[in-house]
Amino acid sequence: MKNPVQIVLLTGGSSGIGAATAQMLHDNGMIVYAASRRGSLPDGIQASSTLIPVKMDVNDADGIEAVVKHIVQQQGRLDAVVCNAGNGIAGAIEDTSEHEARTQMETCFFGAVKTIQACLPVFRRQGHGRIITVTSVAALIPIPYQAFYSAVKAALLIFTKALSIEVKPFGIQCCSILPGDTKTGCTSARKYTEASQDKDSPYYERMSASVGKMEHDEQNGMAPTVIARAVCHQLKRRRMSVTVTPRLDYKLIGLLSHWLPDRLMLWIVGLLY
Ligand SMILES: NC(=O)c1ccc[n+]([C@@H]2O[C@H](COP(=O)([O-])OP(=O)(O)OC[C@H]3O[C@@H](n4cnc5c(N)ncnc54)[C@H](OP(=O)(O)O)[C@@H]3O)[C@@H](O)[C@H]2O)c1
């Protein structure tokens, strides 16, 4: 049976989960526009007329509009958008400036919002379209010293759910994928806030130990292909799930976050970090 999705715009295609997803969607017969600021694919992934790297910053609304317009001109349609581009900041809340917090919000939340808003008119006109956001289990579990990252992913998760209600009458489906620790470039791309690097900060030692543990878990985490497989599976299904948490252990963590009393949940997270 032919894939319901043929033409895909994917953000954050130059590295990690996005690069693995671009490759997997392409291997499954889709034409993929893999967007990133670098505008390239990593070593080992070959660009072609059906796996197309695109230079695009998700913070630039005009640039996104131009890319969407170009795809529709070239292919006559756009079937799906995967909003995966993201980065993380680390540091205690008291050690994070408003500017640093807003920067986190810009790329991970408004970057996805701008990308989705550019695609929606096309999807509505077509009477079909699929939107996948890549959020995180950090949207369910509050992560200390990465509170702004956690908050932004939670915002994008609830946004995706609300969006799915608004756009359902137009034949548009939405899904959010919630990865757990995954071995990608996100660890080296993470920026520590300026004040958090001051050894005199009262948070310095606990923050360094906690984020160090999180980074160790990421670098020993699952392969990005695990997340890519989940994205690909959703795009090939007739009806997408609303949320998907890949791998059983993270599914269980997600379930516990709903079932456990908050006090117990926070105690466990506090023990871990
Ligand atoms: N790795 C994990 O453990 C994990 C866990 C949960 C969720 N996630 C989420 O998974 C997504 C992918 O992250 P990753 O782990 O694969 O990290 P990564 O290897 O660092 O990849 C991040 C991608 O986002 C792109 N990007 C960043 N800022 C951008 C911007 N302003 N405009 C366009 N593209 C931008 C980067 O490309 P350029 O630098 O070339 O622009 C890169 O391709 C993120 O949303 C992340 O929060 C990751």
PDB file of all heavy atoms in Angstrom, residues 52-67:
ATOM      1  N   ILE A  52      16.708  16.066   0.622  1.00  0.00           N
ATOM      2  CA  ILE A  52      17.206  17.387   0.244  1.00  0.00           C
ATOM      3  C   ILE A  52      17.521  18.240   1.476  1.00  0.00           C
ATOM      4  O   ILE A  52      16.610  18.635   2.217  1.00  0.00           O
ATOM      5  CB  ILE A  52      16.135  18.107  -0.624  1.00  0.00           C
ATOM      6  CG1 ILE A  52      15.752  17.214  -1.808  1.00  0.00           C
ATOM      7  CG2 ILE A  52      16.599  19.493  -1.081  1.00  0.00           C
ATOM      8  CD1 ILE A  52      14.315  17.347  -2.243  1.00  0.00           C
ATOM      9  N   PRO A  53      18.805  18.521   1.732  1.00  0.00           N
ATOM     10  CA  PRO A  53      19.116  19.405   2.850  1.00  0.00           C
ATOM     11  C   PRO A  53      18.733  20.849   2.518  1.00  0.00           C
ATOM     12  O   PRO A  53      18.924  21.293   1.382  1.00  0.00           O
ATOM     13  CB  PRO A  53      20.636  19.266   3.008  1.00  0.00           C
ATOM     14  CG  PRO A  53      21.131  18.703   1.735  1.00  0.00           C
ATOM     15  CD  PRO A  53      19.992  18.067   1.005  1.00  0.00           C
ATOM     16  N   VAL A  54      18.175  21.549   3.487  1.00  0.00           N
ATOM     17  CA  VAL A  54      17.709  22.920   3.257  1.00  0.00           C
ATOM     18  C   VAL A  54      18.231  23.801   4.393  1.00  0.00           C
ATOM     19  O   VAL A  54      18.192  23.401   5.558  1.00  0.00           O
ATOM     20  CB  VAL A  54      16.154  22.977   3.287  1.00  0.00           C
ATOM     21  CG1 VAL A  54      15.666  24.391   3.052  1.00  0.00           C
ATOM     22  CG2 VAL A  54      15.543  22.026   2.293  1.00  0.00           C
ATOM     23  N   LYS A  55      18.698  25.000   4.021  1.00  0.00           N
ATOM     24  CA  LYS A  55      19.147  25.947   5.041  1.00  0.00           C
ATOM     25  C   LYS A  55      17.926  26.706   5.564  1.00  0.00           C
ATOM     26  O   LYS A  55      17.254  27.397   4.790  1.00  0.00           O
ATOM     27  CB  LYS A  55      20.144  26.913   4.397  1.00  0.00           C
ATOM     28  CG  LYS A  55      21.200  27.434   5.326  1.00  0.00           C
ATOM     29  CD  LYS A  55      22.228  28.234   4.515  1.00  0.00           C
ATOM     30  CE  LYS A  55      23.170  28.999   5.393  1.00  0.00           C
ATOM     31  NZ  LYS A  55      23.952  28.231   6.311  1.00  0.00           N
ATOM     32  N   MET A  56      17.622  26.573   6.826  1.00  0.00           N
ATOM     33  CA  MET A  56      16.439  27.249   7.385  1.00  0.00           C
ATOM     34  C   MET A  56      16.597  27.362   8.900  1.00  0.00           C
ATOM     35  O   MET A  56      16.906  26.391   9.569  1.00  0.00           O
ATOM     36  CB  MET A  56      15.185  26.417   7.047  1.00  0.00           C
ATOM     37  CG  MET A  56      13.886  27.046   7.481  1.00  0.00           C
ATOM     38  SD  MET A  56      12.482  25.927   7.129  1.00  0.00           S
ATOM     39  CE  MET A  56      12.157  25.340   8.794  1.00  0.00           C
ATOM     40  N   ASP A  57      16.399  28.584   9.397  1.00  0.00           N
ATOM     41  CA  ASP A  57      16.439  28.818  10.846  1.00  0.00           C
ATOM     42  C   ASP A  57      14.997  28.895  11.333  1.00  0.00           C
ATOM     43  O   ASP A  57      14.210  29.709  10.818  1.00  0.00           O
ATOM     44  CB  ASP A  57      17.187  30.141  11.111  1.00  0.00           C
ATOM     45  CG  ASP A  57      17.386  30.407  12.597  1.00  0.00           C
ATOM     46  OD1 ASP A  57      16.607  29.883  13.419  1.00  0.00           O
ATOM     47  OD2 ASP A  57      18.323  31.163  12.923  1.00  0.00           O
ATOM     48  N   VAL A  58      14.627  28.075  12.313  1.00  0.00           N
ATOM     49  CA  VAL A  58      13.224  28.072  12.759  1.00  0.00           C
ATOM     50  C   VAL A  58      12.844  29.364  13.486  1.00  0.00           C
ATOM     51  O   VAL A  58      11.679  29.568  13.812  1.00  0.00           O
ATOM     52  CB  VAL A  58      12.882  26.836  13.632  1.00  0.00           C
ATOM     53  CG1 VAL A  58      13.006  25.551  12.849  1.00  0.00           C
ATOM     54  CG2 VAL A  58      13.718  26.800  14.907  1.00  0.00           C
ATOM     55  N   ASN A  59      13.830  30.224  13.738  1.00  0.00           N
ATOM     56  CA  ASN A  59      13.512  31.521  14.342  1.00  0.00           C
ATOM     57  C   ASN A  59      13.217  32.593  13.293  1.00  0.00           C
ATOM     58  O   ASN A  59      12.945  33.740  13.641  1.00  0.00           O
ATOM     59  CB  ASN A  59      14.675  31.974  15.243  1.00  0.00           C
ATOM     60  CG  ASN A  59      14.830  31.056  16.438  1.00  0.00           C
ATOM     61  OD1 ASN A  59      13.852  30.746  17.119  1.00  0.00           O
ATOM     62  ND2 ASN A  59      16.041  30.576  16.675  1.00  0.00           N
ATOM     63  N   ASP A  60      13.287  32.227  12.032  1.00  0.00           N
ATOM     64  CA  ASP A  60      13.105  33.186  10.941  1.00  0.00           C
ATOM     65  C   ASP A  60      11.812  32.842  10.174  1.00  0.00           C
ATOM     66  O   ASP A  60      11.811  31.998   9.277  1.00  0.00           O
ATOM     67  CB  ASP A  60      14.341  33.119  10.027  1.00  0.00           C
ATOM     68  CG  ASP A  60      14.162  33.881   8.725  1.00  0.00           C
ATOM     69  OD1 ASP A  60      13.223  34.705   8.624  1.00  0.00           O
ATOM     70  OD2 ASP A  60      14.956  33.631   7.790  1.00  0.00           O
ATOM     71  N   ALA A  61      10.724  33.521  10.545  1.00  0.00           N
ATOM     72  CA  ALA A  61       9.400  33.200   9.964  1.00  0.00           C
ATOM     73  C   ALA A  61       9.405  33.350   8.440  1.00  0.00           C
ATOM     74  O   ALA A  61       8.836  32.504   7.730  1.00  0.00           O
ATOM     75  CB  ALA A  61       8.333  34.087  10.593  1.00  0.00           C
ATOM     76  N   ASP A  62      10.056  34.418   7.920  1.00  0.00           N
ATOM     77  CA  ASP A  62      10.061  34.623   6.461  1.00  0.00           C
ATOM     78  C   ASP A  62      10.797  33.488   5.752  1.00  0.00           C
ATOM     79  O   ASP A  62      10.374  33.008   4.697  1.00  0.00           O
ATOM     80  CB  ASP A  62      10.741  35.961   6.103  1.00  0.00           C
ATOM     81  CG  ASP A  62       9.907  37.141   6.585  1.00  0.00           C
ATOM     82  OD1 ASP A  62       8.710  36.935   6.884  1.00  0.00           O
ATOM     83  OD2 ASP A  62      10.462  38.258   6.685  1.00  0.00           O
ATOM     84  N   GLY A  63      11.909  33.077   6.356  1.00  0.00           N
ATOM     85  CA  GLY A  63      12.700  31.978   5.789  1.00  0.00           C
ATOM     86  C   GLY A  63      11.880  30.692   5.743  1.00  0.00           C
ATOM     87  O   GLY A  63      11.939  29.934   4.766  1.00  0.00           O
ATOM     88  N   ILE A  64      11.122  30.431   6.791  1.00  0.00           N
ATOM     89  CA  ILE A  64      10.305  29.202   6.831  1.00  0.00           C
ATOM     90  C   ILE A  64       9.234  29.265   5.730  1.00  0.00           C
ATOM     91  O   ILE A  64       9.033  28.309   4.986  1.00  0.00           O
ATOM     92  CB  ILE A  64       9.631  29.025   8.211  1.00  0.00           C
ATOM     93  CG1 ILE A  64      10.678  28.953   9.324  1.00  0.00           C
ATOM     94  CG2 ILE A  64       8.760  27.765   8.231  1.00  0.00           C
ATOM     95  CD1 ILE A  64      10.111  29.043  10.735  1.00  0.00           C
ATOM     96  N   GLU A  65       8.568  30.434   5.639  1.00  0.00           N
ATOM     97  CA  GLU A  65       7.524  30.627   4.600  1.00  0.00           C
ATOM     98  C   GLU A  65       8.096  30.332   3.221  1.00  0.00           C
ATOM     99  O   GLU A  65       7.457  29.670   2.395  1.00  0.00           O
ATOM    100  CB  GLU A  65       7.040  32.088   4.609  1.00  0.00           C
ATOM    101  CG  GLU A  65       6.247  32.478   5.844  1.00  0.00           C
ATOM    102  CD  GLU A  65       4.751  32.416   5.622  1.00  0.00           C
ATOM    103  OE1 GLU A  65       4.346  32.252   4.469  1.00  0.00           O
ATOM    104  OE2 GLU A  65       4.010  32.496   6.620  1.00  0.00           O
ATOM    105  N   ALA A  66       9.322  30.848   2.994  1.00  0.00           N
ATOM    106  CA  ALA A  66       9.946  30.678   1.672  1.00  0.00           C
ATOM    107  C   ALA A  66      10.213  29.200   1.394  1.00  0.00           C
ATOM    108  O   ALA A  66      10.002  28.721   0.267  1.00  0.00           O
ATOM    109  CB  ALA A  66      11.248  31.480   1.601  1.00  0.00           C
ATOM    110  N   VAL A  67      10.655  28.461   2.410  1.00  0.00           N
ATOM    111  CA  VAL A  67      10.939  27.032   2.220  1.00  0.00           C
ATOM    112  C   VAL A  67       9.644  26.269   1.927  1.00  0.00           C
ATOM    113  O   VAL A  67       9.591  25.448   1.000  1.00  0.00           O
ATOM    114  CB  VAL A  67      11.663  26.446   3.470  1.00  0.00           C
ATOM    115  CG1 VAL A  67      11.695  24.923   3.416  1.00  0.00           C
ATOM    116  CG2 VAL A  67      13.079  26.992   3.569  1.00  0.00           C
TER     117      VAL A  67
END
